[in-house]
Structures are given as C-alpha cells and as structure tokens.
Amino acid sequence: MIAIRSEREIDLLRRANQIVAEVHVALDAMVRPGITTRELDAVAEEIILASGGTPAFKGYRGYPAATCVSIEEVVVHGIPGDRKVKRGEIVSIDVGVCYKGYYGDAARSVACGPTDKKRKRLLETTDLALSRAIRAARAGNYLRDIGRAVERTCRAERFSVVRDFVGHGIGTEMHEEPQIANFDTGDRGPRLRTGMVLAIEPMVNMGTERVKVLRDRWTAVTADGKPSAHFEHSVVVREDGGEILSASDACVWGQCDG
Ligand code: MF3
Ligand code: CO
C-alpha cells in the first residue's frame, strides 16, 4: 500500500524537506579543496538540530552520521570522515531529516571548483534525468514512467544507471513503498495518484553500472573506479507532475527544462 498524504501531512513533509534544503545551501557553499567530509557533516547536523529536526540517517541501520558524502567513485553512502575533497572532484551530498515524525530526503552533486567536460556532462545529465523523472511523477502515470525517464535520459549520453539502489516512498518512515527503480523494470507497477510522496534519486555512472560495497558495509563505489553522480528530491505526485518539497531558491536542482 502506497500512502496518500493529506495536505496537512504534506505541509509537515515540506517542513522536514525545507530543513534538508537549507542544509544543502549551506554545504554547497562550503565545498572547496581540502575540506573533509566530516566537516561538512558536522555543519549539517548543527543546522538540522538548530531547526528542531533530527538527522534521519544517524542510527538508521547503524549508520553513523547525519549525511552521506560521496566523492568521485563513491556512488552513495559515503561515510563522513578524513577524506578531503580535491579540486575538480564530484561531491555528492545526501541529507535526511525527521521533523515532527515526518521525513525529508534530498541529495545533490557538485563539482569542487573547475572540472572537466565529462564530469560536467555527468552532473548535467543526472540533474536532467531527475527533472524528467519528476515531470513523470504525475497522477495517472505509472511508476514505470519514472524509471523510464531516467534511463532514457542517461542512455542518450552513454552514461549508465545504477541498478543496485533505488528511490522510495517517504512519509512517516524514511523508506516506504514503493521502491523506485531508475530504469525500466518491464512492469508498469502501480498507478501514481495525487498525494503520494516519493523520493526520486537517480545514481548515474560515467562507466560501468556495476557497484560494489566496501568492507565498512556502507560505502558503495563504482566497480571501475570512474565517477558517479546522485541527485534526489522528495516530491508529491500532482496532476501536472511532481511538486518538489525539497526545493530551495538559493540552490536549484531537478528542475531544468527539456
Ligand atoms: N537517500 C538515501 C536513501 O534514501 C540515504 C539513506 S542511507 C542512510 O536511502 F543510511 F544513510 F540512512
Ligand atoms: Co533517499
């Protein structure tokens, strides 16, 4: 059963997601050569607590931090620590917040300073894939339309879509039904209805789609060591497409045209 949220609940989900967005704005401005992933995480946790929320990731299945910070070949679930960001690297930041029992979840990738054309294209393509997926999150469409939009967009640029991790419903739990693949599963799945709340999160690799999980049991890296990007928004299904709950004016992603 996929929950249909009332407008009152959607307001609470929006508040949780607005804390997430605020964290993204702050961390975005901090990404520079030499900063450690731990420093980014510390600021995130401070902002979340100061906003009356709790970091949703911390303690989730034993995860030790408020954020996931995934550099370059790290696809997702990079544990903040001593690793320093280098100029030109892709940094993916994933933030989750619980506020009054409702969850927010969003991620974005940025380059640290100037980078090469291929990394730029990976970032733009993943962002575009998310925005098309959000447009597909429209009442009357099927779940399959979301994954198809992502896959088509990334294939056109000869990038690969990660299959081992998926998006999810979000609400009074961080992970709810349905699982949202970023590719065509071949099954149309449930019909989307107004009031469903979805965390859509394409993970896109420059090389192989294959990933492996390190011995820490969290860090997921590309099997070939090539870079990866990750963009995520929490959205409400509406008649005309997904309404983004985790959007911010100061730092825009998942809403480019085309
Ligand atoms: N956005 C990711 C997800 O939805 C990150 C959560 S993993 C955690 O699964 F362990 F850090 F919580
Ligand atoms: Co998520």
Side-chain angles (χ1 to χ4, degrees), residues 56-57 60 63 68 77 94 105 168 174-175 201 218 230 232:
F57 296 173
Y60 178 83
Y63 188 76
C68 303
H77 303 165
D94 194 347
D105 186 5
H168 49 97
M174 182 163 65
H175 293 142
E201 49 179 321
W218 282 106
H230 179 208
E232 174 180 28

Side-chain angles (χ1 to χ4, degrees), residues 1 10 46 49 53 61 65 72 100 103 148 155 159 171 180 207 215 218 224 227 234 244 247-248:
M1 257 288 287
I10 291 168
E46 248 174 60
L49 295 174
R61 294 175 173 232
E72 281 285 285
K100 296 190 173 172
Y103 284 81
R148 277 218 276 213
R155 281 233 175 135
F159 293 133
I180 307 170
R215 292 285 295 274
W218 282 106
D224 58 8
S234 295
I244 304 174
S248 135

Side-chain angles (χ1 to χ4, degrees), residues 20-155:
V20 171
E22 199 188 315
V23 171
H24 277 293
V25 172
L27 299 200
D28 213 66
M30 286 175 69
V31 172
R32 55 177 163 73
I35 193 159
T36 66
T37 53
R38 182 182 282 112
E39 289 173 275
L40 293 165
D41 185 71
V43 169
E45 180 156 12
E46 248 174 60
I47 294 171
I48 293 167
L49 295 174
S51 308
T54 54
F57 296 173
K58 203 170 191 173
Y60 178 83
R61 294 175 173 232
Y63 188 76
T67 59
C68 303
V69 185
S70 306
I71 300 174
E72 281 285 285
E73 79 288 354
V74 181
V75 177
V76 286
H77 303 165
I79 301 173
D82 294 327
R83 183 164 173 178
K84 289 184 170 124
V85 180
K86 296 186 190 131
R87 176 187 154 101
E89 285 185 328
I90 291 176
V91 185
S92 303
I93 298 172
D94 194 347
V95 181
V97 166
C98 183
Y99 181 78
K100 296 190 173 172
Y102 287 82
Y103 284 81
D105 186 5
R108 65 187 247 106
S109 300
V110 294
C112 176
T115 193
D116 54 70
K117 278 195 185 141
K118 206 158 179 202
R119 281 182 177 74
K120 270 189 205 152
R121 196 159 56 81
L122 179 66
L123 292 169
E124 279 162 14
T125 303
T126 311
D127 191 2
L128 181 63
L130 174 60
S131 58
R132 287 183 176 159
I134 290 170
R135 201 162 50 193
R138 174 175 355 114
N141 265 2
Y142 289 89
L143 187 64
R144 181 185 197 176
D145 296 310
I146 293 176
R148 277 218 276 213
V150 171
E151 187 171 31
R152 236 187 279 127
T153 304
C154 299
R155 281 233 175 135

